[in-house]
Amino acid sequence: MLKRLSSLENNYSLGSNPFNGKTNIYFKELNNLHLQQIACWSDSLSLSENFLKQELNINNLPNFNKGIIEKEFSFWRIEPLKWWIFNKNIMIPPDLGTTLDLSHSFTCIHISGNHASLLLNRYLPIDLRESKFPELSSASSAIHHVSIKLFKRSRNNYYLLIPRGFALSIWEILIDTSKQFGYEVLDRSSGL
């Protein structure tokens, strides 16, 4: 397996940078991202859903722009006919659909803390209030014209997937904006 280098390597400085003695945002890059896209053919949706439920040993698949987080993997419905799965491989039969490894395509940043939603709302035109964007929701949006995917694990606890070629510039923007809240960059980890 190829060793994946971080797109943030030279600008990933661990440490705390409080504002008025407080740290309200925490950043952590998820290294060794394992991401697979599963797409089904339009005429095989129900068969594909049954296959995925059996393969993942779950009773229900997430609805559009929703996800599930299990102990060993997470599974998200990104589009009506597409799912993203983290930390697990599935090979859907060719008559049902296709799979694509996206692991090397994105940089994943975990953003959490009391002001995580406030920070993200500086750039994303998404209503992140609990009543509108509850736990286990996802969205496609853009930061400075760069397409991103946002996954909400729980309140003020997000995963931001950025195309690798734009990750460093988005990282710098987020870090700079976080100075007004107080932030800390934590050691990298794996998993979603």
Side-chain angles (χ1 to χ4, degrees), residues 10-192:
N10 294 329
N11 291 68
Y12 197 85
S13 302
L14 299 177
S16 182
N17 298 280
F19 180 75
N20 289 334
K22 294 183 179 177
T23 302
N24 290 300
I25 297 175
Y26 299 90
F27 294 99
K28 185 188 319 183
E29 181 186 13
L30 274 62
N31 60 353
N32 294 319
L33 184 66
H34 184 112
L35 171 59
Q36 185 181 40
Q37 178 175 280
I38 301 164
C40 73
W41 314 129
S42 58
D43 61 348
S44 69
L45 179 60
S46 62
L47 291 172
S48 297
E49 288 176 333
N50 290 334
F51 171 82
L52 291 169
K53 284 191 275 190
Q54 183 178 358
E55 196 72 17
L56 296 171
N57 195 26
I58 56 176
N59 293 326
N60 296 304
L61 294 179
N63 291 326
F64 181 58
N65 278 343
K66 298 293 181 195
I68 58 169
I69 297 177
E70 297 289 325
K71 185 176 180 178
E72 298 189 6
F73 67 91
S74 67
F75 191 67
W76 301 81
R77 191 162 199 163
I78 297 300
E79 295 177 19
L81 300 175
K82 289 182 187 170
W83 297 268
W84 279 10
I85 187 164
F86 294 86
N87 302 321
K88 187 172 181 72
N89 280 331
I90 294 180
M91 294 307 293
I92 193 165
D95 58 323
L96 297 181
T98 185
T99 59
L100 178 63
D101 186 355
L102 298 175
S103 302
H104 295 276
S105 302
F106 292 93
T107 294
C108 183
I109 301 171
H110 180 209
I111 303 171
S112 62
N114 294 335
H115 288 52
S117 297
L118 190 57
L119 167 70
L120 290 168
N121 270 146
R122 297 279 198 267
Y123 297 101
L124 298 174
I126 301 170
D127 186 346
L128 296 177
R129 291 178 294 175
E130 282 295 312
S131 61
K132 303 295 181 189
F133 198 74
E135 182 176 311
L136 300 176
S137 292
S138 68
S140 296
S141 190
I143 297 177
H144 285 280
H145 304 286
V146 175
S147 177
I148 60 91
K149 299 283 189 202
L150 182 69
F151 300 92
K152 185 174 185 178
R153 184 179 183 97
S154 58
R155 189 169 193 263
N156 286 316
N157 190 351
Y158 301 92
Y159 294 96
L160 184 65
L161 272 86
I162 308 163
R164 283 182 61 86
F166 296 97
L168 181 56
S169 61
I170 300 298
W171 173 257
E172 289 171 344
I173 290 167
L174 293 172
I175 291 296
D176 191 51
T177 304
S178 295
K179 291 175 183 174
Q180 63 188 299
F181 304 115
Y183 71 93
E184 183 173 356
V185 177
L186 304 172
D187 208 2
R188 293 176 173 98
S189 68
S190 58
L192 179 69

